[in-house]
Amino acid sequence: MAAMSIHTLSIAADHGAHVHGAAEIDVVVDGKKVLITLESPADNLLGFERAPKSDYEKNKVKDVAAQLQFAANLFAPNAECKSSKPVVTMPTFSKGEHSDISAEYAFECSNMPTQIKLPLWKNFAGFKGLTVNLVTDKGQKQLKLKPGQVLDLK
């Protein structure tokens, strides 16, 4: 899967500018294995991207970090799949910089999935659109998804 991750990053289109509401996911399907990498402005998940100021905002960072530990909160392949422990990178909130959140999810499935439902639409209302860089045995393509849509892997 690590090789798939590196390969995805090398073929994916140049990651675009930091745009609130928009995020990018790289998806590699290799037989019964699926690797998904999410790159998103922190605002989409937290509602802010600066250092948290209140207890509410500090707790929000902790809550979102905990939610991102469960792949099913964002991605649900339509095959029986088991996800490994994700790699989540929360922002450091450097002064004057945009803050991003990234996460990588790996799935082992009982058979090859043909679709990935996206619970992230309902769990994180800040997402208004996704750019998907998809790699399957059929080739590579880029898709634009809107809230409520699923990712068709065919």
Side-chain angles (χ1 to χ4, degrees):
M1 287 303 252
M4 288 173 39
S5 177
I6 292 167
H7 180 68
T8 302
L9 295 175
S10 69
I11 59 92
D14 224 0
H15 290 278
H18 178 98
V19 178
H20 293 190
E24 188 164 325
I25 61 173
D26 297 330
V27 180
V28 177
V29 180
D30 184 14
K32 297 177 186 177
K33 295 180 181 181
V34 178
L35 178 71
I36 303 173
T37 304
L38 168 71
E39 294 289 334
S40 174
D43 187 71
N44 295 347
L45 295 142
L46 297 171
F48 58 92
E49 62 179 8
R50 53 167 169 65
K53 294 180 179 177
S54 66
D55 286 341
Y56 170 80
E57 289 179 345
K58 290 174 186 172
N59 287 329
K60 180 75 172 182
V61 172
K62 289 178 189 172
D63 291 346
V64 167
Q67 285 181 289
L68 295 176
Q69 293 300 315
F70 297 96
N73 286 332
L74 294 103
F75 309 107
N78 70 340
E80 189 176 314
C81 300
K82 182 178 178 182
S83 63
S84 59
K85 184 171 173 48
V87 177
V88 177
T89 305
M90 296 298 288
T92 58
F93 300 111
S94 299
K95 282 191 171 192
E97 292 185 21
H98 293 288
S99 296
D100 294 312
I101 294 174
S102 65
E104 186 173 287
Y105 301 91
F107 297 88
E108 283 278 344
C109 303
S110 59
N111 52 31
M112 190 168 143
T114 57
Q115 183 183 82
I116 298 174
K117 292 182 181 176
L118 301 167
L120 64 83
W121 295 126
K122 73 174 172 98
N123 293 328
F124 299 101
F127 288 108
K128 305 300 180 208
L130 288 176
T131 298
V132 180
N133 300 306
L134 177 63
V135 178
T136 68
D137 61 347
K138 294 181 174 112
Q140 305 169 22
K141 61 182 168 180
Q142 188 174 71
L143 306 165
K144 302 282 186 185
L145 299 180
K146 294 179 182 171
Q149 289 185 293
V150 299
L151 175 56
D152 186 3
L153 301 174
K154 297 178 197 173

